[in-house]
Amino acid sequence: MARAYLDFDLLVARRGAGYEARVLASPAGEASASFVSPLSELELENFRLKVGRGRHGVRRGESSDVETARTVGARMFGAVFTGDIDTRLHESLKTARQAGAGLRLRLTAPSELAILPWEFLYSADLGRFLAVSTDTTLVRYLDLPEPLPPLPITPPLRVLAMVASPSDYPSIESGRECASLRCALADVERRGAVTLDVLEHGSLAALQQRLRRGRYHIVHFVGHGVYDEETQEGMVVVEGADGRSLPVSARKLGALLHDHPSLRLVVLNMCEGGRGSPVDPYGGGAQALVRAQIPAVLAMQYEISDDAATTFAKEFYDALADGLAVDAALGEARKAMFMNGHGLEWGTPVLYTQSPDGLLFALAPGDVAAQDARLLPAATPAPVPSEPPAIAPRLDTLPSLDLRGQLTPPSPSGIRPAAIVPVSRLRAALPSILLVALVFSVNLGETAIEGNWATSLSESAAAFASALHWLEGGFTFENPDVTYRVAIYGYSTVYFFLFPALAIVVAWVLARRRQPEPFRTFALALAIDYAISLPFFLFFPVPERWAYPDANAILLSDLWSSTLIDAIRPVSALDNCFPSFHTSMTVVIVLCCYLHQVRFRTTALCLGAAVLASTFALGIHWAGDIVAGTAAGVVSVALARRFVHVTAPAAKPVRVPQPVRVLRRR
């Protein structure tokens, strides 16, 4: 049953070096107060990094992230709701309770403050986040001339879902997305309150054709979004004619949707859809659509997990079909996400609206055909019958997120296996896998011909080794004491076993990421590293420390087992000493762990340091080899990271916490 709401209109305006908050209207009257921005740019960015990072699995309710959100929300609340404004708020809440109504906080703020996460406003007096309640809803209000009135309709609400998955962007499994959405809306569809139609192709042409032939009340977009820093404009990434990405400004999309008179709500289930411009109040994707006479737009200001998105869709559309105002329906969805253990993801949806009372639809019995005739021009072709609703799949037959945040397809029995990589992700990683295989194939060929490779530079290499021996003469291993056998075994284990194990584990972890860029960066850095080293291996063949004739050293790993060094000779020739490829690969591994926030990155750093120490302690590499290998590894990662960024899809994206600038559901 729809609930009445009283309005608390809060306008924030610039005032000198600070800002002024004014209560324009409320049940308790007007008020004003001056304040300064509660968050600096650095603090806002840190909050995005802390709370807005990709959600992998379920967060516990009292995690450190919740405490961070509570602290930031309290700071924003304390900055604005001070003095008379705080008094008016509490008096308004009391009046609303006495009237059996809710309180709708309609916030209007300048561009540079509109980017703050107001959905996390936290009142210490009330002991809760304001938005996680239908008693106190929060909307980003855009006071535009001639707002559209509620649309009189007879159920069902008609929802058009559009999934865009360009071939050059991280894959979105459209079938799975549609199945999840159908599952979320199964109950409300069965009782005839909502009808869901799915657009098979995520292109503007397909959207225009479907809107021309049918009458829809809601468009639900699932895909990728970016924010163009140069134009300060939100972009929606759709599919072009060739299946590749086509970034479209929200203004252009708004021009298309504006001509569909029955449309009252757009849901942008993508990252950056809820982000505003710091210089243009209508620069963000959601704001631009509201300006195009879409009464309400729901967008995501952070990444949202699949499970949370399903909970959101189920509760939101169910409440909307019951006749609730759009902000009240969002409040119900926030509560469900909060109660179902989705951590702080309840703060991800952002509601922008020009509707004064939040009522988008007037649900009343009536002649649908007559309403269609009033809404659509006479020349408009008759609506095409909607697609027959698919049978909602069982929850245990849908793919899901495992504890590592990876997509897990269902098993035939309905029991989800723990570690299966989807085919689409393997397909995305295949070029990088082939690149790594090519590097090792070239290396095998190089070591096979190295012994017969004659060059005039060999004398220079010998002189170089002689200089290194002179510099490190005091560290050569002559007549080693057998009491150090334990250390020898330890170093040999690190060099021969832990190093390849670390490389394989890190490669596997990066390849399992939902985005292909981490593993792509790793593979490309490895290839660049080998390309840097190969000319030295061929034309500057420096012998290993123990093999230099004047070193009087022995290969200490032979004290354990000569079989170990014999086993790796096919991939590591005797004169492949400068630069140390063991070292450069280790640097690549550790840097990739830190760049892509691998959980065991500190452990990887410690193991990497042990690998570097083992190359010297065992008498294999000179100190100069290790220094050169370190430099090669750093340069390789820097070049690979830059190349992966440069070749990413067009439309310059905004800085986000992860190296890839375009994220799923973003």
Side-chain angles (χ1 to χ4, degrees), residues 502-517:
L502 178 63
I504 293 171
V505 169
V506 171
W508 174 251
V509 169
L510 295 179
R512 285 178 55 85
R513 290 288 180 90
R514 301 182 74 180
Q515 306 292 346
E517 283 77 7

Side-chain angles (χ1 to χ4, degrees), residues 551-640:
N552 295 321
I554 61 174
L555 185 59
L556 294 193
S557 59
D558 280 344
L559 295 179
W560 180 13
S561 172
S562 60
T563 305
L564 294 175
I565 196 67
D566 293 338
I568 69 167
R569 277 303 169 213
V571 295
S572 179
L574 185 63
D575 292 332
N576 282 2
C577 181
F578 181 88
S580 169
F581 197 57
H582 246 72
T583 298
S584 58
M585 273 194 65
T586 301
V587 171
V588 168
I589 292 168
V590 173
L591 287 181
C592 285
C593 285
Y594 275 88
L595 284 174
H596 302 296
Q597 298 295 296
V598 175
R599 289 185 179 181
F600 55 86
R601 55 188 178 275
T602 302
T603 302
L605 176 62
C606 295
L607 292 178
V611 170
L612 267 62
S614 70
T615 62
F616 184 83
L618 293 175
I620 298 173
H621 283 288
W622 309 88
D625 304 337
I626 298 174
V627 173
T630 301
V634 172
V635 171
S636 299
V637 173
L639 291 177

Side-chain angles (χ1 to χ4, degrees), residues 20-294:
E20 181 185 51
R22 287 184 288 170
V23 180
L24 300 180
S26 77
E30 302 177 359
S32 64
S34 298
F35 71 99
V36 296
S37 178
L39 297 177
S40 66
E41 291 184 7
L42 179 59
E43 290 171 325
L44 177 60
E45 183 67 15
N46 287 337
F47 181 77
R48 287 175 178 163
L49 290 170
K50 181 73 172 177
V51 177
R53 61 174 177 252
R55 275 69 179 249
H56 301 302
V58 177
R59 296 181 180 181
R60 296 190 178 275
E62 292 301 321
S63 66
S64 61
D65 294 347
V66 174
E67 186 58 36
T68 298
R70 188 181 290 121
T71 301
V72 170
R75 285 182 58 182
M76 292 192 297
F77 185 91
V80 177
F81 293 88
T82 181
D84 290 343
I85 294 183
D86 187 50
T87 302
R88 297 293 180 271
L89 176 64
H90 284 80
E91 291 177 350
S92 297
L93 287 171
K94 181 179 179 181
T95 301
R97 282 194 298 269
Q98 292 173 347
L103 187 67
R104 175 184 293 114
L105 175 58
R106 301 196 303 183
L107 175 66
T108 304
S111 305
E112 65 272 20
L113 289 188
I115 62 177
L116 297 183
W118 295 104
E119 286 65 31
F120 291 96
L121 279 174
Y122 180 83
S123 170
D125 292 338
L126 299 176
R128 61 179 174 84
F129 294 98
L130 297 185
V132 190
S133 172
T134 51
D135 285 342
T136 50
T137 62
L138 173 68
V139 301
R140 310 288 188 102
Y141 185 61
L142 301 178
D143 190 7
L144 298 175
E146 301 180 2
L148 294 177
L151 177 70
I153 67 168
T154 298
L157 290 175
R158 290 178 56 84
V159 180
L160 176 62
M162 174 181 174
V163 181
S165 182
S167 60
D168 54 338
Y169 263 62
S171 175
I172 293 179
E173 299 178 53
S174 58
R176 181 181 184 279
E177 293 290 345
C178 295
S180 297
L181 192 56
R182 283 199 182 279
C183 182
L185 301 184
D187 291 339
V188 71
E189 272 197 293
R190 274 194 292 268
R191 61 186 176 91
V194 169
T195 297
L196 175 65
D197 291 345
V198 176
L199 193 61
E200 296 180 357
H201 302 289
S203 64
L204 283 185
L207 176 62
Q208 181 180 0
Q209 184 183 71
R210 183 63 67 90
L211 291 177
R212 185 173 65 247
R213 295 178 178 176
R215 178 178 183 268
Y216 294 97
H217 307 122
I218 301 169
V219 169
H220 188 113
F221 177 82
V222 180
H224 300 286
V226 295
Y227 186 82
D228 193 325
E229 292 281 8
E230 184 175 347
T231 63
Q232 295 291 312
E233 193 171 22
M235 312 288 285
V236 178
V237 181
V238 299
E239 298 175 19
D242 57 354
R244 294 176 62 82
S245 61
L246 178 63
V248 176
S249 70
R251 298 176 193 269
K252 181 180 291 187
L253 179 62
L256 172 62
L257 299 178
H258 169 79
D259 290 340
H260 197 65
S262 63
L263 187 62
R264 288 297 185 271
L265 172 66
V266 173
V267 178
L268 298 176
N269 197 351
M270 63 183 195
C271 190
E272 304 299 335
R275 185 187 176 194
S277 166
V279 296
D280 183 357
Y282 301 106
Q287 300 93 315
L289 292 180
V290 173
R291 194 180 192 184
Q293 289 291 295
I294 306 299

Side-chain angles (χ1 to χ4, degrees), residues 152 158 215 217 261-262 367-378 380 383:
R158 290 178 56 84
R215 178 178 183 268
H217 307 122
S262 63
D367 187 351
V368 177
Q371 293 174 18
D372 287 349
R374 288 194 298 270
L375 283 168
L376 299 176
T380 302

